[in-house]
Amino acid sequence: AQKITQTQPGMFVQEKEAVTLDCTYDTSDQSYGLFWYKQPSSGEMIFLIYQGSYDEQNATEGRYSLNFQKARKSANLVISASQLGDSAMYFCAMREPSGANSKLTFGKGITLSVRP
Amino acid sequence: EAGVAQSPRYKIIEKRQSVAFWCNPISGHATLYWYQQILGQGPKLLIQFQNNGVVDDSQLPKDRFSAERLKGVDSTLKIQPAKLEDSAVYLCASSLEPGLAEQFFGPGTRLTVL
């Protein structure tokens, strides 16, 4: 089974509107971390936001927030007030198990296009 | 603070040729990772170093791929001989320590095998 599932096709959003990018995960570990990365056309992976499995509150970083629903094993990224520069690939990733041997597993990504 | 540096940025080779990629992590970062990202997919971990020791190379095709991190700083990833399916972006990342810290990625090397 896939550990990280991102099934949305290419997403489009109007500038200044909010958009939600979906991510579901599969793990039997109790301690894990969830990440979202942005990859613009330049190719570099840019860290956006992190949610620990024991964090009770949803993570927020500026215009980014993570809608963490542990029972449903979902970790959706919400981008508020979209900007043209938000057009990029977005990857959800999970780190498990915890500790020195932890590994980051990425989903296939979602393409987001912001329309002016 | 300087980021993760990689070179070259682009490389085109014929199949069966050899190629090497170089990575310089963020200063002080003990953990270094090499990922392979095939077009349309997310990055896949090839190898993880802690200082100059290998922590995980379970997904490294060892018959043709090799990597080293001498002195626990810079790292090189080599492919010999290359196959068509090795065409991908090779990303290097580093973190202060494994497990807890965020990974910082370099710009990647885009390899095309003809």
Side-chain angles (χ1 to χ4, degrees), chain B residues 10-11 14 21 26-27 38 50 58 61 65 72 84-85 89 95 100 104 108 110 112:
Chain B
Y10 304 92
K11 189 75 178 178
E14 302 268 336
F21 313 127
I26 293 173
S27 177
I38 292 172
Q50 178 67 15
S58 57
F65 286 64
L84 297 177
E85 58 262 35
V89 175
S95 64
L100 297 177
F104 296 83
R110 184 177 298 276
T112 302

Side-chain angles (χ1 to χ4, degrees), chain A residues 19-114:
Chain A
V19 63
T20 298
L21 306 182
D22 296 342
C23 173
T24 58
Y25 60 92
D26 182 29
T27 182
S28 56
D29 288 332
Q30 295 301 310
S31 178
Y32 53 90
L34 296 158
F35 297 76
W36 276 91
Y37 282 85
K38 172 184 177 181
Q39 188 176 43
S41 56
S42 59
E44 189 169 348
M45 298 287 280
I46 302 168
F47 166 76
L48 296 178
I49 197 166
Y50 166 78
Q51 179 86 41
S53 58
Y54 293 118
D55 294 341
E56 293 187 354
Q57 296 207 343
N58 287 340
T60 59
E61 288 285 349
R63 295 186 300 111
Y64 305 107
S65 60
L66 200 151
N67 184 0
F68 181 46
Q69 298 187 44
K70 195 169 182 177
R72 298 178 62 183
K73 293 189 175 178
S74 75
N76 299 340
L77 176 71
V78 180
I79 305 175
S80 63
S82 297
Q83 301 173 356
L84 296 178
D86 293 334
S87 294
M89 283 285 291
Y90 288 80
F91 291 92
C92 179
M94 177 171 62
R95 185 186 62 218
E96 44 127 31
S98 58
N101 293 326
S102 66
K103 186 182 299 187
L104 205 57
T105 302
F106 287 83
K108 291 187 174 182
I110 302 168
T111 302
L112 175 66
S113 300
V114 181

